[in-house]
DNA sequence: CGACGGTACTAATGCGGTTTAGCTCATGTC
DNA sequence: GACATGAGCTAAACCGCATTAGTACCGTCG
């Protein structure tokens, strides 16, 4: 830590123009300006144009605090990510989601308040604070759980919100946007079944998460339907470490699986590494499928067969839905496009 | 898209308590409440305590808009990430940085406004808008460039800011927080030199970025000092695709390098994959070093020797510095802890 | 020709805080 | 006992915008 320059006086920058400045320059009252700039009736077309010109000239933008204070809208939506610090930052899902969200929000001049916390309790605390401070108009909620306290909390606060990734839950006034994990899992299993696999392991993500549960259930149902018995899910925390560990465990079993489905890209890559370390050929002796595509799936050797979904499109959908709700739209449950399987080099027929 | 429930009337939630409510309940004026809650003089200890108790009871939190409007502080800082959508989301650096930033901000109840945009022009536009809307009190700026328009812009707006990753630049009233890439690069080259490598290629990141330039310069200087001539940098855009492509190119040369240093983890992993695809043994025939450690470096086989830095600590430092500046502190240039090399399995002596 | 209705605008108020100015009363001072 | 002092509190202005309640003016119609 080396202080280097102590910085002198900062020159005072241009003062922000206000409605008053516009009013003076245009020779009208402040209210006229407000009407004109907000497209309200009560000003002639002539003055309206003049006001717009002056505002443009001055580079005026509404002061967000003032607007929030009078208009009852802060122009912000919130997004909290509850993840223990060490699991942060490898998965591609999240930033892509956010980039989709932003596209929509930015076009409507809505800002995104973002916060990373350790766990779900802290997450709830953030919602309460944001609500009390009137910081956000609504929130996007990720990582829905099977026993989730958040819909109830958000409902009681009356904070408009969209749950990303969960189907509708009974009774709560919370919109949801979700992908059909069940169908997707079925398509993955069908692909492997067609190739001839009869013994598949699903290295799942966190058990508490709703979509994990859906995938596990779907796997079981489909396996049953296909008459397969040697099929099961093992839980992890989504980390590379547990992904690798789970892989080692199942490969050590008396009858190891011929295919493994991983619940995210990071674990799938870890699985490839474990196979490499043991000299197990992929896909010759072991087929691997990654849930969620990303650059990762393309940098491994062999490149990974992956379940591709339009993550940023998912984010866009969620953001649209939240904005619609803020505009007084109904609470709904929307389903995103079905993920599709992109076969690459990591899946093939099992060894005879 | 399947609308499912149309949501009925939302029950009106509890009204947010205001200072007025506290004043009434405590039997004092609103100003007294404001003084008490902000630790200003002008109220006796007795009333002060009483007011605090009432505020606590009511669960009062200051309305952020109101406070921003009168207090000249929005309680928000901004962070813009300018990346083309397709390069988003693999690198671990960013989310870790943010998690460090948040730790500090949250403890001071400052919110983080986050925005993803396509390029640096859009980024500048966001700063201008945030300034005009008075949305943020300051900003954190990432990915500094060698010819960077942002310090000048931020300076002219008078928006307090901290550049993350660049050493101080002449004249601008912008703080900086940076790591000594030059020394780090020197340590990497020393490691490889000790192992016996004489022909090293540096697969660099985007040429425009300041730290890329520093690493390239340092590599050249150090190579010269060590009397090595077969050493050079090749530029990429940080993506897995270009990392792989660059690797193929240099391995195709008449005299291929015996070691490659990659400017991020993703490209290093891509490099490993290219080696695997060609049957080149790592580290037997090719040593690989990754700049920045992450789960990725541990899931490859072999695990990657990496340059470790405390990214979230870096974020903390930057956030601290920005807050200090908002509190009237001087503009400074701070240096973060020196990254250190973590030798793993991907580096070894070159083939004889 | 005066009441009427509509248009184009202004004045005034409020949002929830912060801050300045002022007011009251007890105390100390000479 | 008159007067300055300061502690403890209140009233009022203000931040920048949205909104509601007027007001002035004009044309129209009975």
């Amino acid at each position: 830590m080396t202080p280097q320059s102590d910085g002198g006086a900062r020159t005072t920058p241009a003062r922000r123009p206000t409605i008053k400045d516009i009013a003076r320059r245009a020779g009208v009252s402040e209210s006229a300006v407000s009407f004109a700039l907000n497209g309200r009736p009560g000003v002639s077309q002539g003055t309206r144009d003049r006001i717009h010109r002056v505002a443009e000239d001055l580079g005026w933008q509404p002061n967000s605090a003032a607007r929030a204070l009078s208009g009852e809208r802060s122009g912000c939506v919130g997004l909290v990510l509850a993840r223990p610090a060490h699991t942060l930052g490898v998965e591609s899902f999240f930033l892509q989601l956010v980039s989709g969200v932003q596209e929509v929000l930015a076009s409507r001049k809505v800002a995104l308040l973002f916060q990373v916390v350790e766990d779900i309790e802290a997450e709830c605390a953030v919602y309460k604070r944001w609500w009390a401070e009137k910081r956000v108009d609504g929130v996007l909620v990720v990582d829905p759980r099977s026993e989730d306290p958040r819909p109830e909390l958000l409902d009681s606060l009356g904070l408009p919100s969209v749950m990303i990734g969960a189907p509708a839950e009974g009774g709560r006034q919370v919109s949801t946007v979700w992908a059909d994990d069940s169908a997707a899992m079925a398509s993955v299993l069908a692909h492997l079944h067609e190739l001839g696999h009869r013994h598949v392991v699903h290295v799942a993500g966190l058990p508490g998460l709703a979509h994990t549960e859906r995938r596990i259930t779907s796997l079981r149902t489909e396996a049953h339907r296909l008459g397969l018995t040697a099929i099961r899910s093992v839980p992890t925390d989504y980390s590379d470490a547990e992904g690798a560990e789970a892989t080692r465990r199942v490969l050590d079993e008396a009858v190891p699986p011929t295919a493994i489905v991983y619940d995210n890209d990071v674990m799938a890559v870890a699985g490839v590494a474990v196979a490499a370390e043991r000299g197990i050929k992929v896909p010759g002796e072991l087929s691997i499928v990654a849930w969620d595509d990303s650059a990762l799936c393309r940098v491994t050797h062999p490149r990974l067969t992956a379940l591709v979904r339009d993550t940023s499109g998912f984010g866009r959908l969620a953001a649209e839905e939240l904005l619609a709700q803020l505009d007084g739209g109904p609470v709904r449950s929307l389903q995103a496009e079905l993920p599709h399987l992109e076969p690459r080099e990591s899946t093939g027929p099992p060894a005879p």
Side-chain angles (χ1 to χ4, degrees), chain A:
Chain A
M1 325 264 159
T2 329
Q4 209 160 295
S5 92
D6 78 344
R10 185 185 295 275
T11 61
T12 42
R15 197 177 59 83
R16 241 168 291 264
T18 73
I19 270 197
K20 197 177 288 178
D21 300 316
I22 302 179
R24 199 175 317 121
R25 288 262 289 249
V28 293
S29 72
E30 296 175 39
S31 353
V33 175
S34 179
F35 289 148
L37 294 173
N38 290 297
R40 297 264 128 88
V43 257
S44 67
Q45 195 55 49
T47 22
R48 191 177 292 269
D49 290 347
R50 186 155 40 93
I51 289 172
H52 269 110
R53 239 181 346 251
V54 174
E56 180 86 8
D57 266 16
L58 263 44
W60 178 87
Q61 292 282 106
N63 175 315
S64 59
R67 185 162 265 185
L69 190 54
S70 56
E72 298 294 287
R73 279 276 261 278
S74 74
C76 273
V77 304
L79 174 51
V80 182
L81 185 60
R83 299 267 173 97
H86 72 274
T87 66
L88 265 183
V90 214
E91 223 174 317
S92 59
F93 179 80
F94 186 72
L95 268 186
Q96 289 192 359
L97 183 80
V98 169
S99 101
V101 165
Q102 298 265 1
E103 249 177 73
V104 173
L105 295 185
S107 72
R108 297 269 303 266
K109 296 205 169 189
V110 173
L112 181 71
L113 221 49
F114 176 51
Q115 179 122 21
V116 181
V117 298
E118 275 287 309
D119 53 38
I120 202 167
E121 280 76 40
E123 180 177 347
C124 290
V126 170
Y127 293 141
K128 284 185 200 150
R129 191 157 56 77
W130 279 351
W131 174 82
E133 293 180 351
K134 213 165 180 317
R135 271 237 195 244
V136 299
D137 299 325
V139 295
L140 294 168
V141 182
V142 296
D143 293 341
R145 319 229 172 163
S146 19
E147 297 284 310
D148 204 318
R150 293 170 297 174
E152 180 166 354
L153 170 66
L154 293 167
D155 194 19
S156 77
L157 293 177
L159 197 55
S161 36
V162 173
M163 297 281 289
I164 297 180
E169 201 193 323
R172 297 285 160 224
Q173 295 296 316
V174 170
S175 285
T176 58
V177 167
W178 59 296
D180 190 345
D181 291 270
S182 300
M185 179 56 99
S187 77
V188 170
L189 196 58
H191 170 73
L192 293 173
H193 186 256
E194 252 171 55
L195 286 171
H197 294 273
R198 296 296 175 263
H199 187 173
V200 177
V201 166
H202 169 215
V203 174
L206 278 169
L209 299 184
H211 64 266
T212 304
E213 301 294 344
R214 288 208 305 282
R215 293 177 195 177
I216 291 176
T217 306
S218 166
L219 180 74
R220 200 153 29 199
T221 313
E222 283 302 307
H224 188 252
R225 213 175 55 75
L226 294 169
L228 305 176
T229 52
I231 292 213
R232 68 179 209 281
S233 300
V234 302
T236 68
D237 67 352
Y238 274 122
S239 71
D240 61 300
E242 293 207 6
E245 173 55 25
T247 307
R248 288 199 189 91
R249 252 192 350 260
V250 300
L251 291 180
D252 278 342
E253 287 171 6
V255 188
T258 60
I260 305 183
V261 180
Y262 292 89
D263 252 6
N264 70 4
D265 46 1
V266 176
M267 293 197 297
V269 174
V272 171
V274 168
E277 150 198 318
R278 302 202 167 185
I280 296 175
K281 288 200 184 64
V282 176
E285 300 167 84
L286 179 67
S287 282
I288 286 182
V289 177
W291 198 295
D292 264 349
D293 193 23
S294 76
L296 281 190
C297 297
R298 280 162 278 141
V299 300
T300 56
H301 182 75
R303 295 177 309 144
L304 297 181
T305 293
L307 199 67
V308 180
R309 40 181 178 169
D310 180 5
T311 310
S312 80
F314 202 44
R316 282 194 297 272
L317 187 61
E320 301 268 19
E321 186 54 23
L322 183 56
L323 291 180
Q325 204 180 324
L326 293 182
D327 288 344
V331 167
R332 307 189 293 174
S333 183
L334 255 50
Q335 197 170 328
E337 194 183 302
L338 189 66
H340 73 272
L341 195 67
E342 170 104 2
R344 294 208 185 92
E345 301 150 4
S346 68
T347 46

